Each structure stands twice: as C-alpha cells, then as structure tokens.
Amino acid sequence: MKSAMQKIAVVLIAFFFCIQSSAQIFLPVDAESSVKFSIKNFGLTTAGHFAGLKGKIQFDAGNTTSASFVVSVDAASVNTDNNTRDKHLLKEDYFDVAKYPLINFTSTSVNKDAAGKFLVTGNLSIKGVTKQISFPFTAEVQNNGYRFSGSFIINRRNFGVGGNSMVLADNLQVSLDVFAKKD
C-alpha cells in the first residue's frame, strides 16, 4: 500500500515539474525585431525606434504560468532620423544615457484570454524610474521561434523624460514587433 502511494506521489511530482518547466527559452533577435515609438511634437507626429534589443523570454503559448519576459533596449540607440534631435535625446533631460544606458522591461505575469490573445504585466524602467504597465500582445510561431507583437501608451513625464516641455505631448505610443528564436 505504501509503495503504491509513493509511486503515485512520484508521478504527481514529475507531472507537476513537467508542467512548470514546459516553457522554452527564446532570445530576441535585434536585427529581425523593432521597438518603435511615436509622439506629438509641435503638433506633428514624430516617430523613432530603438535598437540593441537583448534579453531572455520564457514562453509556452499553451501554459503561460511559467512565462516571463526580461528584455532591454539600448537607450543610446534612439533614432528619429534627425541627428540633432537624436543627440539631444541622449542628454540628461531626456534619456540621460550616460547614467541610464538601458530601458528595461521585466514581466510579472502573462495571461491568455479566451480569444487566444495574451496580456503581459510587468515593470518598465526608464531613466531610473520603474512603473508597472500592462498590454495585450500576440505570439505567432515562426522559424524555430516566436514573433511577439503588441503596443502600449505611456506618459513620458512619469519617467522624467523631456522635462516640462510645452510642445511635446505627454503620451507616446510604443509598438513592439519582436522575433525571438529558441535558445
């Protein structure tokens, strides 16, 4: 009797371990990904992007309980197709890249809804300020990896970016299209 109970316990523990560790590790591919933003400046939409995407993504579309995203971009890579503006964005009143070289995101939860879309919640750190954000995303299997796509809106002032500029809008849109391959 005791032997049968031990076998059942071992099987249950092994099953639980397999469920918990089913998420695979994926690494973002910077060259095949984009981290874009747009914001109103003097009433006109200004767009740009970041490069230097790095990190580790643990993901299984069928079981999000062990999913996690720990990613960053190089703040100094900001590119708006205007060299003068880009140099200004590197300075202390914007991204202060000398002191804060990375923009980081670390997820705290990932959930899947009935329609098959995902919702990630996590901590976004820009310029030494960390705020919790949530946004929907899709995950499409591609070439031994996943393509993750999503977008969110943040208030730049919450992160101390851009000071009290009267010509720069407070809110900006961030759009993500990230290809991550199996580690």
Side-chain angles (χ1 to χ4, degrees), residues 10 43 54 61 64 80-81 84 93 105 118 137:
V10 168
K54 294 181 181 174
T64 59
T80 63
D81 291 329
T84 302
D93 56 336
F105 177 78
F118 301 91
F137 72 94

mmCIF file of all heavy atoms in Angstrom, residues 10 43 54 61 64 80-81 84 93 105 118 137:
data_model
loop_
_atom_site.group_PDB
_atom_site.id
_atom_site.type_symbol
_atom_site.label_atom_id
_atom_site.label_comp_id
_atom_site.label_asym_id
_atom_site.label_seq_id
_atom_site.Cartn_x
_atom_site.Cartn_y
_atom_site.Cartn_z
ATOM 1 N N VAL A 10 5.319 10.212 -6.660
ATOM 2 C CA VAL A 10 6.421 10.472 -7.593
ATOM 3 C C VAL A 10 5.867 10.883 -8.959
ATOM 4 O O VAL A 10 6.356 11.830 -9.569
ATOM 5 C CB VAL A 10 7.345 9.238 -7.706
ATOM 6 C CG1 VAL A 10 8.304 9.379 -8.872
ATOM 7 C CG2 VAL A 10 8.101 9.030 -6.409
ATOM 8 N N GLY A 43 2.814 69.562 -32.433
ATOM 9 C CA GLY A 43 1.579 69.185 -33.106
ATOM 10 C C GLY A 43 1.745 68.177 -34.226
ATOM 11 O O GLY A 43 0.759 67.717 -34.800
ATOM 12 N N LYS A 54 17.916 43.026 -26.302
ATOM 13 C CA LYS A 54 18.534 41.831 -25.703
ATOM 14 C C LYS A 54 17.611 41.298 -24.624
ATOM 15 O O LYS A 54 16.722 42.006 -24.154
ATOM 16 C CB LYS A 54 19.873 42.186 -25.067
ATOM 17 C CG LYS A 54 20.924 42.617 -26.039
ATOM 18 C CD LYS A 54 22.209 42.935 -25.340
ATOM 19 C CE LYS A 54 23.239 43.383 -26.364
ATOM 20 N NZ LYS A 54 24.478 43.835 -25.760
ATOM 21 N N ALA A 61 2.888 28.987 -25.337
ATOM 22 C CA ALA A 61 1.552 29.545 -25.593
ATOM 23 C C ALA A 61 0.451 28.745 -24.908
ATOM 24 O O ALA A 61 -0.598 29.292 -24.574
ATOM 25 C CB ALA A 61 1.286 29.609 -27.097
ATOM 26 N N THR A 64 0.882 29.631 -19.801
ATOM 27 C CA THR A 64 1.530 30.915 -19.523
ATOM 28 C C THR A 64 1.962 31.072 -18.057
ATOM 29 O O THR A 64 2.559 32.090 -17.719
ATOM 30 C CB THR A 64 0.608 32.085 -19.900
ATOM 31 O OG1 THR A 64 -0.608 31.974 -19.145
ATOM 32 C CG2 THR A 64 0.318 32.099 -21.385
ATOM 33 N N THR A 80 15.468 58.969 -34.586
ATOM 34 C CA THR A 80 14.258 59.630 -35.123
ATOM 35 C C THR A 80 14.500 60.175 -36.518
ATOM 36 O O THR A 80 13.730 60.995 -36.997
ATOM 37 C CB THR A 80 13.815 60.776 -34.194
ATOM 38 O OG1 THR A 80 14.843 61.773 -34.166
ATOM 39 C CG2 THR A 80 13.513 60.273 -32.790
ATOM 40 N N ASP A 81 15.599 59.754 -37.155
ATOM 41 C CA ASP A 81 16.006 60.244 -38.476
ATOM 42 C C ASP A 81 16.328 61.731 -38.472
ATOM 43 O O ASP A 81 16.199 62.414 -39.488
ATOM 44 C CB ASP A 81 14.947 59.920 -39.552
ATOM 45 C CG ASP A 81 14.865 58.437 -39.849
ATOM 46 O OD1 ASP A 81 15.900 57.747 -39.732
ATOM 47 O OD2 ASP A 81 13.768 57.958 -40.188
ATOM 48 N N THR A 84 20.363 65.884 -35.004
ATOM 49 C CA THR A 84 20.374 66.914 -33.971
ATOM 50 C C THR A 84 19.424 66.540 -32.842
ATOM 51 O O THR A 84 19.775 66.618 -31.661
ATOM 52 C CB THR A 84 19.994 68.288 -34.571
ATOM 53 O OG1 THR A 84 20.918 68.596 -35.620
ATOM 54 C CG2 THR A 84 20.026 69.376 -33.517
ATOM 55 N N ASP A 93 18.117 65.670 -19.720
ATOM 56 C CA ASP A 93 16.687 65.999 -19.623
ATOM 57 C C ASP A 93 15.797 65.019 -20.391
ATOM 58 O O ASP A 93 14.585 65.017 -20.208
ATOM 59 C CB ASP A 93 16.404 67.449 -20.040
ATOM 60 C CG ASP A 93 16.898 67.795 -21.430
ATOM 61 O OD1 ASP A 93 17.825 67.130 -21.928
ATOM 62 O OD2 ASP A 93 16.361 68.747 -22.031
ATOM 63 N N PHE A 105 12.438 46.006 -19.372
ATOM 64 C CA PHE A 105 11.096 45.515 -19.056
ATOM 65 C C PHE A 105 11.243 44.116 -18.479
ATOM 66 O O PHE A 105 11.899 43.245 -19.060
ATOM 67 C CB PHE A 105 10.195 45.472 -20.295
ATOM 68 C CG PHE A 105 8.831 44.893 -19.984
ATOM 69 C CD1 PHE A 105 7.872 45.663 -19.346
ATOM 70 C CD2 PHE A 105 8.519 43.583 -20.302
ATOM 71 C CE1 PHE A 105 6.621 45.138 -19.028
ATOM 72 C CE2 PHE A 105 7.270 43.048 -19.996
ATOM 73 C CZ PHE A 105 6.324 43.833 -19.357
ATOM 74 N N PHE A 118 -2.863 37.411 -25.565
ATOM 75 C CA PHE A 118 -2.140 37.386 -24.299
ATOM 76 C C PHE A 118 -2.115 38.784 -23.689
ATOM 77 O O PHE A 118 -2.203 39.782 -24.392
ATOM 78 C CB PHE A 118 -0.707 36.895 -24.518
ATOM 79 C CG PHE A 118 -0.644 35.518 -25.107
ATOM 80 C CD1 PHE A 118 -0.598 35.338 -26.481
ATOM 81 C CD2 PHE A 118 -0.651 34.399 -24.295
ATOM 82 C CE1 PHE A 118 -0.553 34.071 -27.037
ATOM 83 C CE2 PHE A 118 -0.607 33.123 -24.839
ATOM 84 C CZ PHE A 118 -0.553 32.963 -26.210
ATOM 85 N N PHE A 137 -0.745 41.358 -26.310
ATOM 86 C CA PHE A 137 0.180 41.006 -27.382
ATOM 87 C C PHE A 137 -0.255 39.708 -28.041
ATOM 88 O O PHE A 137 -1.080 38.971 -27.494
ATOM 89 C CB PHE A 137 1.626 40.915 -26.861
ATOM 90 C CG PHE A 137 1.916 39.717 -26.001
ATOM 91 C CD1 PHE A 137 2.446 38.550 -26.536
ATOM 92 C CD2 PHE A 137 1.682 39.763 -24.632
ATOM 93 C CE1 PHE A 137 2.732 37.459 -25.732
ATOM 94 C CE2 PHE A 137 1.973 38.678 -23.812
ATOM 95 C CZ PHE A 137 2.496 37.524 -24.364
#
